Amino acid sequence: MALLQIAEPGQSPQPHQRRLAVGIDLGTTNSLVAALRSGVSAPIADADGQVILPSAVRYHSDRVEVGSVAKAAAASDPFNTVLSVKRLMGRGLADVKQLGEQLPYRFVGGESHMPFIETVQGAKSPVEVSAEILKVLRVRAEAALGGDLVGAVITVPAYFDDAQRQATKDAARLAGLNVLRLLNEPTAAAVAYGLDQNAEGVVAIYDLGGGTFDISILRLTGGVFEVLATGGDTALGGDDFDHAIAGWIVEQAGLSTDIAPGEQRGLLHAACAAKEALTNADSVSVSFGAWSGELSRAHFDSLIEPMLQRSLKACRRAVRDANIEVDEVKAVVMVGGSTRVPRVRTVVGELFGRTPLTDIDPDQVVAIGAAIQADTLAGNKRNGEELLLLDVIPLSLGLETMGGLMEKVIPRNTTIPVARAQDFTTYKDGQTAMMIHVLQGERELISDCRSLARFELRGIPAMVAGAAKIRVTFQVDADGLLSVAARELASGVEASIQVKPSYGLTDGEIARMLQDSFQNAGDDKVARVLREQQVDAQRLIEAVQAALEADGERLLDAEERMVIDLQMQELSELMKGSDGYAIEQQTKRLSQVTDAFAARRLDSTVKAALAGRNLNEIEDN
Amino acid sequence: MGTPCHFALFDLQPSFRLDLEQLATRYRELARSVHPDRFADASEREQRLALEHSASLNEAYQTLKNAPKRARYLLALRGHELPLEVTVQDPEFLMQQMQWREELEDLQDSADLAGVATFKRRLKAAQDELNDRFAACWDESARIDEAERLVRRMQFLDKLSYEVRQLEERLDD
């Protein structure tokens, strides 16, 4: 029985052993997948040589179309063709109505409060629609790279809240992707730009996409990308420019504002074409139906001015939050297709007092940066210093307190990962449960903030009112996702926590969708689950192998080492069979016996860093 | 699991005077070794540990980087944990507090941006002065009462500078 061949840590693995990982930019208008190959990060093209995949999904009764073909049908089949689904991720039905635009879809409510779209294939949640786009990109990448993906880094707007991020992760899961990290789009762009230019100092990333706006201020110091502050607006983007022009057309053409869905799509399409034409012309002729007219760039600029001002206000706030002066910003980078609009470049240049940089294609820069991080996270060690991304939570996290007020627990722009504790007590004798309402936002009233979830704590030991001291720990991980733990301090009892997300899919809904996707893919569910268990087992074995090679001799005694080797051998054997349950159990067992070893390794790494020495030096002793 | 004191984490002696550049450099080095990104391909247990260590590191850094928080932490290390609510028995400072607040309200009513800039400068100068006084008093371990008083004042001014930023944001409308 051959052991898996693992390259020694510190040496780059053979090409055929390289762990395949990609960066995915799941955009409002366009999506891309990129990968690092031969040291160069670049987007992966489809069979026709196109790198951009329009974020359009069309449901037929018997199949799903994704991309340009789907987009082209938007006007003729508005109910079944979903565009800009990113704007619906992590949102509720009420938000969708508030977005103000006339979305042509037929919405229905689900178990959760997410808006499901009624299509010819039944009700689809935005998460499922996004999964279709991700699936296409995954298949494209696997074909181009010649193998299964270890995982993907998927980018999200920096200003996305917890619900929007969780929805993105759920979509990736449905698409069969292992998410290595959810990466903020401006940070991804900073990586691409920073590594390209070997930049140091404070940079600003102005990211205006189809549906979202982000501004991030970062400090680059020798491979460490530290986000100082981030801001934005998840409902501001190029789509809004299109709507402004569409409104102008409706007015000029004397049309009624009650337009049929198909026509509305056609209208937005004409508006978008006009917007793009004005990038290189002073005026453009626009026609819609029987009407035609002339739109000047000057008038277009006046139509979008209020939106641009909103973005500049967010920029000024980010600069304040970063605790810097505007002139400390050494470079401003333009990201997102909408930054091609000349007026955008002008106003941003005016605010920062310098010409914005557009060296890297604004449509591709995010995916390119994500692919670089994906390669590192997948475990392909690089020579020299690996980049380190220190990101922040974009919105304050807090709790509902008496009187409908929001009390902040973790302020915005706090570096993540972060953990904060808050102590609570009971107010009735014998109280054994408690409900905590968590929100995100900056305002005082909870009605002005974003409800994230309600956490029900159960199993609090019954005591006299006020005697229990329950420490609730809020932890935000590197993906920007919140988890909550609670413990009664006197007794040490851990409370069990049931999470009820305000805008997320329920566990039941996800399970059903996963089931559907197995069936649609024609996979036998059992075979699929077995394969997942084998992949998990393999991953753990590889990780343990690498850990043993690095620190086994130094941190384990002979007996401990033997136990681990035995369990690993057992798992390798079981993996070859088809008893999924046994594989799962043995994976857990191996994980358990390597627990202490893992803890020792981490302590040792920290001590080494403290002592200011490189880990390699210690191994040489 | 016993947590090392924040200073020890950065291999520093507990003291109020701090080389912030050196602190930042050490922070980046330490962050490299414990950040979850470094363990993306490791076991779940390692990932969870990395997450906890990172959160602790970030907490320590945030505390030491900020002068009032650092001062408060130093007091706590000596067993004098100050409650967060600032109940001031500090009649001398009370007058100044009221003056600062009135000025801020006036600035808000008059929407005077230039005035806000001046206010910020004076606020910074006042904070620097308090820092110097605390540093001087901290070296003499007998003056705990004064140290506590100074920390409360530092906390007040820190809160005030946060309110100034909020005012700037409101005036940006």
Side-chain angles (χ1 to χ4, degrees), chain A residues 69-289:
Chain A
V69 174
K71 189 166 177 177
S76 59
D77 190 9
F79 291 141
N80 296 305
T81 310
V82 186
L83 305 179
S84 301
V85 68
K86 191 166 172 174
R87 300 196 103 159
L88 304 176
M89 294 282 271
R91 309 280 84 175
L93 210 37
D95 300 306
V96 160
K97 300 214 165 98
Q98 234 184 33
L99 275 175
E101 26 182 309
Q102 287 175 6
L103 296 170
Y105 317 120
R106 296 165 303 190
F107 288 106
V108 293
E111 266 166 52
S112 49
H113 304 283
M114 282 181 91
F116 277 62
I117 298 172
E118 191 66 56
T119 71
V120 83
Q121 262 192 46
K124 297 289 173 189
S125 89
V127 168
E128 285 171 287
V129 178
S130 298
E132 294 295 342
I133 300 169
L134 290 172
K135 247 185 258 181
V136 168
L137 294 175
R138 171 173 66 81
V139 169
R140 185 196 288 187
E142 284 172 347
L145 300 175
D148 282 347
L149 299 180
V150 147
V153 166
I154 305 193
T155 61
V156 290
Y159 219 56
F160 252 18
D161 66 27
D162 193 276
Q164 292 165 308
R165 283 164 199 268
Q166 190 57 55
T168 306
K169 234 179 159 175
D170 290 341
R173 203 172 142 201
L174 279 182
L177 282 164
N178 174 39
V179 176
L180 293 169
R181 172 74 65 243
L182 285 182
L183 179 60
N184 288 341
E185 282 151 23
T187 310
V191 167
Y193 162 75
L195 294 181
D196 181 63
Q197 311 263 330
N198 231 324
E200 293 271 311
V202 178
V203 305
I205 310 285
Y206 182 98
D207 182 353
L208 187 61
T212 59
F213 168 66
D214 278 329
I215 171 72
S216 277
I217 315 249
L218 295 95
R219 173 170 284 127
L220 278 54
T221 321
V224 179
F225 294 72
E226 201 181 335
V227 176
L228 300 178
T230 200
D233 192 329
T234 57
L236 174 63
D239 280 4
D240 299 293
F241 295 0
D242 297 346
H243 280 276
I245 296 178
W248 173 81
I249 294 176
V250 164
E251 192 195 34
Q252 295 291 304
L255 299 168
S256 93
T257 43
D258 193 16
I259 306 173
E263 255 200 292
Q264 214 217 340
R265 276 282 156 78
L267 183 59
L268 287 170
H269 183 79
C272 184
K275 170 187 73 177
E276 288 175 1
L278 284 172
T279 296
N280 297 311
D282 281 330
S283 81
V284 68
S285 63
V286 186
S287 57
F288 187 69

Side-chain angles (χ1 to χ4, degrees), chain A residues 271-331:
Chain A
C272 184
K275 170 187 73 177
E276 288 175 1
L278 284 172
T279 296
N280 297 311
D282 281 330
S283 81
V284 68
S285 63
V286 186
S287 57
F288 187 69
W291 172 86
S292 68
E294 194 79 11
L295 178 62
S296 71
R297 189 193 281 186
H299 192 68
F300 170 59
D301 287 351
S302 73
L303 288 174
I304 63 172
E305 190 65 20
M307 296 169 228
L308 297 188
Q309 286 307 319
R310 260 164 73 192
S311 77
L312 294 182
K313 186 169 170 205
C315 290
R316 285 190 295 269
R317 188 214 234 186
V319 167
R320 276 195 302 269
D321 285 348
N323 248 317
I324 56 165
E325 301 298 321
V326 159
D327 53 21
E328 281 178 64
V329 176
K330 279 177 56 182

Side-chain angles (χ1 to χ4, degrees), chain A residues 181 313 316 386 417 610, chain B residues 9 32 37 58 169 172-173:
Chain A
R181 172 74 65 243
K313 186 169 170 205
R316 285 190 295 269
E386 282 146 30
L610 266 180
Chain B
L9 195 57
R32 263 193 201 291
D37 280 0
N58 286 334
E169 192 170 326
D172 197 357
D173 274 326

Side-chain angles (χ1 to χ4, degrees), chain A residues 534-595:
Chain A
Q534 285 167 331
V535 167
D536 280 346
Q538 176 130 334
R539 233 178 250 145
L540 179 60
I541 290 178
E542 285 177 12
V544 172
Q545 289 263 4
L548 286 174
E549 292 206 31
D551 296 317
E553 239 180 77
R554 193 166 61 85
L555 295 178
L556 293 170
D557 65 37
E559 194 183 316
E560 289 168 323
R561 176 62 187 260
M562 198 170 65
V563 169
I564 292 177
D565 281 338
L566 266 168
Q567 296 296 349
M568 208 165 40
Q569 197 139 322
E570 177 75 24
L571 184 57
S572 297
E573 283 295 334
L574 283 171
M575 259 177 63
K576 291 191 263 172
S578 52
D579 185 348
Y581 179 71
I583 294 176
E584 193 181 335
Q585 292 302 101
Q586 186 57 21
T587 303
K588 281 203 183 95
R589 214 165 290 132
L590 179 57
S591 189
Q592 273 161 9
V593 311
T594 50
D595 238 17

Side-chain angles (χ1 to χ4, degrees), chain A residues 19 180-181 219 221-224 226 313 316-317 320-321 323 325 373 376-379 381 385-390 408 412 414-420 475-478 539-540 543 547 591 595-596 598-599 601-603 605-606 609-612 615, chain B residues 1 4 7-12 24-59 61-62 65 69 120 162 164-173:
Chain A
R19 299 171 63 114
L180 293 169
R181 172 74 65 243
R219 173 170 284 127
T221 321
V224 179
E226 201 181 335
K313 186 169 170 205
R316 285 190 295 269
R317 188 214 234 186
R320 276 195 302 269
D321 285 348
N323 248 317
E325 301 298 321
Q373 204 207 14
T376 305
L377 295 184
K381 302 295 178 210
E385 294 212 315
E386 282 146 30
L387 46 87
L388 177 67
L389 308 182
L390 300 173
K408 294 193 180 130
R412 73 172 185 267
T414 304
T415 306
I416 52 178
V418 60
R420 292 274 158 88
Q475 185 189 70
V476 178
D477 65 18
R539 233 178 250 145
L540 179 60
S591 189
D595 238 17
R601 286 192 79 211
L602 192 57
D603 274 344
T605 309
V606 172
L610 266 180
L615 205 50
Chain B
M1 184 178 76
F7 289 96
L9 195 57
F10 291 94
D11 204 21
L12 293 167
T25 306
R26 294 213 182 163
Y27 168 68
R28 285 190 285 267
E29 277 167 19
L30 286 168
R32 263 193 201 291
S33 66
V34 297
H35 196 272
D37 280 0
R38 202 162 183 266
F39 299 88
D41 62 335
S43 67
E44 239 193 81
R45 166 76 164 150
E46 280 180 293
Q47 284 184 39
R48 241 180 315 126
L49 281 174
L51 182 41
E52 283 167 21
H53 272 72
S54 282
S56 299
L57 176 66
N58 286 334
E59 190 67 30
Y61 184 50
Q62 292 305 315
K65 213 169 55 153
K69 287 193 183 141
K120 274 168 72 174
Y162 173 72
V164 172
R165 262 198 279 145
Q166 284 187 307
L167 174 60
E168 281 180 302
E169 192 170 326
R170 278 197 300 273
L171 292 181
D172 197 357
D173 274 326

